[in-house]
Amino acid sequence: MAEDKPRIVITYCTQCQWLLRAGWMAQELLSTFGADLGEVALVPGTGGIFTVECNGELIWERKRDGGFPDAAELKRRVRDRVWPERELGHSEKKG
């Protein structure tokens, strides 16, 4: 992993079978930010956990934030932490 690029860690509950959801979130982040990311890691957990961290900072927590993020919201949160000046295109447009 490049030291100057963000590391995303998605921890998901194996008991709840949230691997596909975690993988989809990882795919969405990689599709949007591509080579600007240093790593996207999937970490199995238990007890209903679903968290997303960026460089060690919690940016989404299922219990705290009331469920799962949609892809656009997760991308906004990552962008806001790492590249606040970056535009996200169509996923950022307000309806």
Side-chain angles (χ1 to χ4, degrees):
M1 180 188 91
E3 292 299 318
D4 58 337
K5 293 183 179 181
R7 179 174 193 260
I8 307 294
V9 177
I10 301 173
T11 304
Y12 64 94
C13 180
T14 57
Q15 296 167 313
C16 301
Q17 299 183 13
W18 288 337
L19 173 59
L20 288 177
R21 184 184 303 265
W24 175 70
M25 296 285 181
Q27 178 182 334
E28 286 290 321
L29 292 172
L30 287 165
S31 294
T32 297
F33 300 117
D36 292 334
L37 292 174
E39 178 180 9
V40 178
L42 300 179
V43 179
T46 58
I49 191 169
F50 192 91
T51 60
V52 181
E53 296 178 11
C54 180
N55 293 336
E57 182 180 349
L58 187 65
I59 62 170
W60 190 273
E61 201 279 319
R62 184 186 66 83
K63 293 176 185 173
R64 178 192 75 186
D65 295 315
F68 298 97
D70 64 23
E73 177 63 22
L74 185 58
K75 291 174 189 182
R76 277 192 295 274
R77 290 188 184 203
V78 169
R79 185 273 320 266
D80 290 350
R81 295 289 194 285
V82 184
W83 309 282
E85 71 288 346
R86 186 176 192 156
E87 298 215 7
L88 291 176
H90 73 278
S91 67
E92 194 167 36
K93 297 208 183 332
K94 307 281 190 253

